[in-house]
Amino acid sequence: MNRLQATLHDSFVEAERHLRVIPRNIELLIFATIQPIMFLALFAYVFGGSISIPGFDNYDQFLMPGIFSQSLVFGSAFTSIGLAEDLSKGLVDRLRSLPMSRSAVIIGRTVSDLVRNLLTFGVMLVASFLLGFRFGGSVTDAVLATGLLVLFSYALSWVQALIGLAVSSVEAANSAGFIWMFPLTFVSSAFVDPSTMPGWLEAVANANPFTVVTNAARSLYNGLPVGNDAWLSLAWSVGLIAVFSMIATRKFARSTSS
Amino acid sequence: MTERYAVQMQGVVKRFGDTLALDGVDLAVPAGAVYGLLGPNGAGKTTSVKVLTTLIRPDAGTATIDGIDVEKNPDDVRRRIGLTGQYAAVDERLTARENLVYIGRLFHLGTAEARLRAGELLDRFDLADSADRVVKGFSGGMRRRLDIAMSLIANPSVLFLDEPTTGLDPRSRLGMWDVIEDLAADGTTVLLTTQYLEEADRLAEQIVVIDQGRVIAEGTPDELKSRTGGALLQVSIARAENRELAMSVLTPLCTGRVEVRDDRTFEAPITAGDRVVPSVIRALDDAGVDVLDVVVRRPSLDDVFLALTGHVASAEEATS
Ligand SMILES: Nc1ncnc2c1ncn2[C@@H]1O[C@H](COP(=O)(O)OP(=O)(O)O)[C@@H](O)[C@H]1O
Ligand SMILES: [Mg+2]
C-alpha cells in the first residue's frame, strides 16, 4: 500500500466508525431531524407574512435557502465536538501511537459528518416542499446549489476540527464550535436583505463568505442569474479546506490528552 | 555496542512551560522484561510513556524502542509498540468486537485477519460474553481489559501500560494483575507505570522509582526494600501507662528511633536476622511491661519511598 492508498484506507475505516453508530443514537437522530423542520416552520410562519424582499414575490423562496445554508453550517459543529471527545477520552493518543495516516482521523471525521449533514438536509428539503417551497430553475441548478452549500459546510468542518483539537474538553468544544456560528449566519443575507441593516453591518454582511455562498445557492434554487457568487463561493470553500486541512492535520500530529 | 534494550531513554528532558516534567531520565528495559515505573502523581510517568510512544517530543536526550529512535523513525516505532494510556481509550459507541476490529484494520491486518484476532483477544480477556455489547455499559474493569486487548491486536513487542489499575475496584485490580502476569509470561516486554507500591512489587521484576522528573532509585523489589537497612519491629503492649517505660527498654535494642504508632504500639528499625525479638520480649517482661504482640515486618515500598525521598508516596492522597 502506498501512502495515498493508506490514507484513503484509514480515512474510510475512520468514517465507517462514525457512520455505523448513527442509527444507534435514536435521540440524536430525532433531534437532528426535528430541529431543521422546526426552524423552517418557525421562520416561515413567524416572519413569512411581515417580510417582503425585492425581487421575490414570496418570502419563503428567499428564506428557505438561507435556512438550508444555516443548518448545514451549524451541522459542521459536530466535527469539533467529536474530535474533542476522541482527544479527551485518550483515543487520539491511541491513534497517534499507531502506524496510520496522520490526516485520516480528521478526514474520516469530516466525511462522516458530511454524510450526516446530507441526511439532515434531505429531511429538510422534503419538509420545505411540504411548506410550499419550489425550485425556480432546473434540477441541475438545484443540485449545484446544494453542492455549493454542502461544500462550504465541509470546509467549515475543517475549521471545526482545528477548534476541537485546540480546546481542552468536549464542553469547551461545544461552546467554541457554536458561538461564532451565530454572527456568521445572522450577519448575512440568510434571513433579510443586508441593505436594510445599518451601513457598517451591511458592509460586514456583504463581505461574509456565508452571504456569498447563501446568495449563490439562493439564486440557483430560484433560477435567477447567479453572477460571480458561484465561483466566489467555490473559491472560499476550496481555500478554507486547503488552509485548514493543513493547520488541523499539523495540530493533530501534536495533540495529546492532558 | 552493549546489549540492545527493548526500551531505552537517555537523558530525556521535557519541559511544559515552567514545569520540568522530565529532568534527565535514564531508563533501560531489556527485551522480555517487566519493568515498573513507580512514582507519585506528577512524577513524570505519563510524560515518559508519551515520549516513548511518539506522542510528545523530548526537549533533549534520546529515546529508542528496539534501538529505533522515536523521533527519527516514529512509524517504525509505532509498528512495534502497544499503548494502554492512563484513560481507557475505547470508542464507547462501538461494541467490544467492533473496537478491536477497528484498530486491527488501522494496522492494515485485513478485515478477516482483524476479525480473527479480535475473536482470540475477546476470549483471552474474558470478554466473549459481552463481545457484541456497546462499550458504554461496560464496567471500569471490562473497559480496561478491552483497552489492553486493543493495544495487543498487532502483537506488539513492547507494551506500555500507564497506571493500568488506577480507578479500578479491588476485585478488578486483582483480575488486571492476572492479565498482566500472563502477558509477562508470554515474553512481551512490558513497561508499566503505577502509583501503587504493592502493584510494582507484585508485577515488576525491576522497579524504577521516579520523583519530580528524576530517577531516584532502581532495583528489584527486594533490593529496594533492603535500602531501608533491615526490618521493622512492631510491638504492642497491654497498658498505655507503660508507654514511657517500654520506650526506654526498646531504645537500646533498636538501630534507630522508636516511633509511636498509637498509645500502645511502637515501631522501630532493627537489624534483620539478629535475634532481637527474644531479647525484646525478655527485656520488656523483666521491666514488668505486658506484651500483647510482637511483629517483625520487612519494609514496604512505602517505607522505601519515604527513605528515598523524605516524603510519602501515597496513591490515596494523590488525587486528580
Ligand atoms: N501538557 C502539559 N502541560 C503542562 N504541564 C504538564 C503537561 N503534562 C504534564 N505536565 C506536568 O508535568 C509533570 C509530570 O506529569 P505526568 O508525566 O503526567 O506525571 P504522572 O503521570 O507521573 O502523574 C506534572 O507536574 C504535570 O503537571
Ligand atoms: Mg500519569
Side-chain angles (χ1 to χ4, degrees), chain A residues 258, chain B residues 16 19 21 39-48 86 162-163 195:
Chain A
S258 50
Chain B
F16 294 108
T19 312
N41 209 356
K45 303 181 296 295
T46 298
T47 306
S48 300
Q86 196 164 349
D162 195 6
E163 300 201 22
Q195 300 188 33

